[in-house]
Amino acid sequence: MIKEEFKLALSNLRKLPGFSLTVLVTLALTLAALTVVININHRLITQPLPYPDADKLWVTDQSETINGETQYGFQLLSTQFQLYQDKQFIDKMTMMHLVSSRFMDIKDMPTVDIIRVTPEFFELLGTPLHLGRTLKQDEGVSDEQKVLVLSYQSWITHFNTDPDIVGSYTSINRERYQIIGITGEAFEVPEIFGGFPVSGFSSFPEPVTTTSHWNSISSEFNGIARLKAGVNIEQMNHALGEQINTLYQSRENVAPDTRIGAKFTPLRDKIVARSDELAITLLFSAAVLVLIALTNVVNLFLSRAAQKQRTIAIQAALGAKPTHIFVSMFCESVLLVGAATILGLLLAEWLNVWLANDLSYLFSRMQSLTLDWPTIVVACALSLIISLLIAWFTSKQVNYHALTDALHSSGKGTGAQISKRTRQVLVALQVCFASILLFLAANKLIPAYAQMTHPTGFNTEHLYYVRIDGSATEIDSFELGKQIKQLLADQASIASVSASYTSPLQMGWQNYLYDQNIALIGIVSLSFYDEDGFTALSLPLEQGSRFTPIMASGSDNNEIILSASLAKRLYKDENPIGQTLYADREEPRKVVGVVSDIYVPTGNRGYTLERYYLPVTEGSTSFMIKGDSALSKVQLTHALKAIHPSLNFAFFEPVDDMLTQRLRQTWLQAMLTVTLLALTLSLAGAGIYGVLNYSVQMRRYELGIHLSLGAHTHKLISQVLKQSLTPVMIGLGVSALAIAIGYGILTKISTDTISMSWFAVTVTIPIMLLIALIASYLPVQRVINQDPIKALRNE
Amino acid sequence: MNNRHVIELKNITKKFVLGGMETLALRGVNLNVTQGEYLSISGPSGCGKSTLLNILGLLDSPSTGTYTIAGNDVSNLDVNQRATLRNKHIGFVFQSFNLIDELNVFDNIALPIKYSSTALSNTALKERVMTCLELVQMTHRAEHKPNQLSGGQQQRIAIARALANQPDILLIDEPTGNLDSKNGDAVMKMLSDLNAQGTTMCMVTHDPRYADMAKRKLFLLDGVMVDEMNLEMAG
C-alpha cells in the first residue's frame, strides 16, 4: 500500500512542477540555512568539550575592584601562582601565560603565539601526543627548564613535518628550547585567550613566586583548575579571593580603594560565552525563517489539499479512512521534504566551506566546520517532523462532511477551497514572524552599520603599524629606535613616523590616573606616542601642543596629553592646559595638549573615548608610519639593512586591514543576519503573495461580474486591497504586541540594558506594508487587466 | 429470493440550513431493500434523490431517523467505522464516474480492496480485479489510464470498481447521465445482467426509460416517497 502511495505521490508531483519546485526550493534553502546554523551552534555551544572531565574544569579568573567598580579579565601572575599552590580547594591546576614569540631559527623568523604552561596542563586537558612526551614534574614553574611541545600544525608549517624533531633545539626569541614533543592532530587548545592558533606549549623559563611578578597584570595570564570533590564555589572564591587580596595589599604602593578577588569560571562557560551572541542571533533568525517557510509550505499544501479534495472524496467513498488520507498526504510531503533535505544538506556543506574561513578567525573550533552526524540526524529528524506536520495539518483540512459536494461536482471550480479564516491566519502569521525578525534584525544591524561606517577620527589611509625585530643587534635600544625612525622618515614614500608601543587600534594599557592631589580618578586607557604621533595619525590637536621631543634614554618630559572626552570630564569648562595629573603617584605630569577623540570599535560595539597619552621615553622599535602612498615591505626591509643586516619587520600591517579585522565579527554577524533576513523576507513576500493571490482567484468570478457591470478598476482594487490588508494589519499589530511584551519581560529579567531602536520600528512598518501592498496588488491587477468574460468563464 | 434486508430506513429526515433558511430535503422516508433487489428511485430535480443516495452510501448523515445496513445501526458510528462499512457493504457508481486520473484501470479497481481490513495477497488481488474487469468486459484495458477511455468504458470501470469488494448493495447515481444513448443502453444492460447474477442494486435516475428497467420503482417528490410500484409483485 505504502509503495503504491509513494508511486502515486511521485507521479502526482511530476505533474505539478510549479508546486513541487516551489516547495523544494523553499524548504531546501530553509533547511540549508537551518542546518548551517545548527551545525555552528553545535560546534559553538552543545558539542562536548574534547577534554576529560571537562565539566570539572574551571578557569582561574580574577576580579579587580577600584572605587567600588569591578572589572574582570586581567590576572596577576603572582596571584595565579598563589592559587597554583592551594591544596584546600584545588585538586590540580595549570598556570598559563600567553606570549607572542619568534622562532628565530626558522626562515623569516615568524612571530607565533606560545603558551607557557606548567606540567599539569597536559594531564588536565588529556592532550594527545603525536610524537615525544609532555612536560615532566621537574620542568615546572620554578625549575628554569626550557622545553617545548610543538602544536601539530606548527610542526607541519614551521618544521616541515620533521620526524626527528624531538630532542632537537630551537630558538624562541633569545632562548634555546629543547623540543620534547608534538601534540596530536586532534588536540584543540581551549580558547581562553582567544580563538587564534597556538604554535606550542613551553615551560616557564624563569621562576615565578608570589612576589616576583607584581607589576604584571594582564589578560595573558590565567590558569585551569580541577577542583576537589564537593567544593562550594562561593566559599572557594571567597576564601581564595581573600588570600590573594591579602597578598596584593601587602605589597608597596597599592592604589587606595583597590582590591582583587577570585572569580573561578567553568571552562565551558568561558569558551562558550564568546560565541553566545552569534549563536543565539543565528538560531533565532533561522527559527523565524523556518516558521515562515513552514507557513508558506503549509499554504501550498493546503491549496494542494483543496485541489485534491475530489480525489480524496473518491477515496473516502470507496472506504478510505482518515489514516489512508494522511498516508497519502504524508507520501507527497515526505518525498518533497526528503528531496529538499538532501538538497539542503548539500547546500549547507557548501556554505560550511565558505563560512569556515571567516568563522575560524573568530573561533578556532570552526576551522574544520563540516556537517557532522549529530547535525545531519537533527536535520533529518526535523525534516521528518515537518513532513508529518504538513501531512497532519493538511489532512485535517479535509471536510468529510462535504465529500458529497466534491463527488457530485464536475471537478472544475469545485467548492473545495481553503477557508477565508485559514488564509487570513496564514497571512497574519507570515507578517507577524517577518516583522518580528525584521525589527530585531534592524535593531542589531543599525548599530553594527553605524560602527562599521563610523569614522575613526584619524586618517587610516596609508597608515601602517610596524614592529621591527632588532634582537640580533647589539645597538642600544634607544639609539636603535632613533636610527630606525630617522631612516624611515628619510624614505621618499613616507610622510611621517612616530614611535609607539601599540597600534592606535589597540586600547594600549588600562592604567590608573590620579588628580593633582594623587586621588585616584579611575582606570583609563593609555597609549604611548612620541612627538610625531598625532601628526602620523592626522589626529587634530584641539588645544595646546604636542609632546616635547625626548633626547636621551630614560629621560622624561613629564607631559601628558588628554583626549577631548577625558578633558571634558575632568575639567568641564576649565582650561585643561597646564593642569597636573599623575599616572603613577610619583611623577606629576603637566597637561600640554588635548586631541580629538578616536573611535576604535570595541567588542560591545561601544567606543573608549576617554584616553590619555604619554610620551615614549625608552627605545621602541614599534612605529606608526604614514605613507604618501601604499608602502612596500620589501623596499623598507631592504632600507633597514643599512642600519644592521639582521633587522627585519616582525609585524607590518596597514591600519586599514587591522580595522577590517577588528570589525570582522561585526561584519560577519551583519552579513549572516542580512542573508537570513533577505531570505526570510523573500519567502514571506512569496508566501503572502501566494495566499493573497489565492484569495483573489477565489473572487475572480465575482470580480468578473463587477467588471461586466461597469465597475471602475480603482474601486475594485481598493476593495480587494482593503480586504487583503486586513490580515496584514492584524499581523503587524500582533508583532508589535509580541515585541512590546518581549521588551517588557526582558527589561525585567535581564541585568543588561535592553535597547530598542525607534528607527527599527520606522523601518519595519513601511517595509512590511510595501511587501504586503505589492503582494496584494499584483494578483488583482492581473484579473482586472483581462477581459471580464475571461473571469466569468474562469479561463 | 432471500428476504434478508440489506438496508432498512426508518423515518429518515434530512434538514439543510442555507443562508439561515431551513430546507427539509427528506421528510420521513421509510425504505427496506432486500437482497437481490433491483430498485430505482426517480423524481424531479431537487426532490431529494441524491440526498437519499448519499445517506444510503454513508456519505451523508440523516438529521433524524434510523438507518441499518446489513444489520448494523449506523446512527452513532465514527468516521472510521463508517468508512469500514462503506468499504465492506457498499459499492458506489457515480454519474461522473469519479475514477482517479493518476491511477490506471487496474489500480483504480484495486483501490477499495486495498482499503479493506482483509489483506489479500498480490495474486489474489490480481485475480479479484481481473474477475471484476471480466464482469464488465474490460480486461484488455487494465493498464490504461481513465483519460484514455471513452465515457462508457469509464462507467464500466466504475462499475467494476464498485464490485471489487463484493458489496451487499450497489448504489448507482444517474449511471447514464454523462453517456450517449448507445453507451447508456450498454451500461444499463450490464447492470441488469449483474442483478440477474444476484447483485442488489439501488439506482437513482430521472430517465423513466431506465427506471423502468428496475424491478422495483420508487418515486420521490419534495422529500417524500409518494409512490412505489413493485413490478415483480405486479408481474
Side-chain angles (χ1 to χ4, degrees), chain A residues 12 310 315-316 318 322 408, chain B residues 54 80 86-87 102 115 173:
Chain A
N12 286 339
R310 185 168 165 272
Q315 290 173 293
L318 298 175
H408 296 295
Chain B
N54 290 336
N80 281 320
R86 197 157 54 226
N87 180 259
E102 291 81 5
Y115 293 143
D173 187 11

Side-chain angles (χ1 to χ4, degrees), chain B residues 171-197:
Chain B
L171 299 177
I172 307 157
D173 187 11
E174 301 280 9
T176 58
N178 282 4
L179 302 178
D180 57 35
S181 60
K182 189 181 162 199
N183 275 312
D185 290 349
V187 166
M188 289 311 295
K189 181 173 180 313
M190 181 174 291
L191 290 173
S192 295
D193 292 347
L194 284 170
N195 176 247
Q197 289 164 33

Side-chain angles (χ1 to χ4, degrees), chain A residues 1 4 8 11-12 15 310-311 314-322 324 400 404 407-409, chain B residues 54 59-60 79-80 83-84 86-87 94 96 98-103 111-112 114-115 161 173:
Chain A
M1 184 72 191
E4 275 97 14
L8 181 61
S11 146
N12 286 339
K15 285 179 194 158
R310 185 168 165 272
T311 305
I314 297 170
Q315 290 173 293
L318 298 175
K321 294 173 187 169
H324 292 118
Y400 287 88
T404 50
L407 284 171
H408 296 295
S409 71
Chain B
N54 290 336
L59 295 176
D60 204 350
V79 173
N80 281 320
T84 305
R86 197 157 54 226
N87 180 259
F94 300 97
S96 51
N98 282 339
L99 296 174
I100 295 177
D101 294 336
E102 291 81 5
L103 300 177
L111 209 53
K114 287 173 182 170
Y115 293 143
R161 184 179 65 183
D173 187 11

Side-chain angles (χ1 to χ4, degrees), chain A residues 98-100 111-115 151-154 157-158 187-191 193-201 360-365 367:
Chain A
L98 175 75
V99 279
S100 191
T111 303
V112 293
D113 285 304
I114 302 271
I115 302 181
S151 73
Y152 185 84
Q153 198 53 47
S154 179
T157 312
H158 300 124
F187 179 58
E188 289 181 25
V189 183
E191 293 168 6
F193 302 112
F196 45 80
V198 174
S199 293
F201 309 91
S360 61
Y361 171 77
L362 303 171
F363 311 104
S364 66
R365 281 163 289 165
Q367 273 167 9

Side-chain angles (χ1 to χ4, degrees), chain A residues 483 487 637-645 647:
Chain A
Q483 283 186 31
L487 181 130
T637 307
H638 183 70
L640 283 177
K641 306 289 180 192
I643 299 173
H644 194 279
L647 289 182

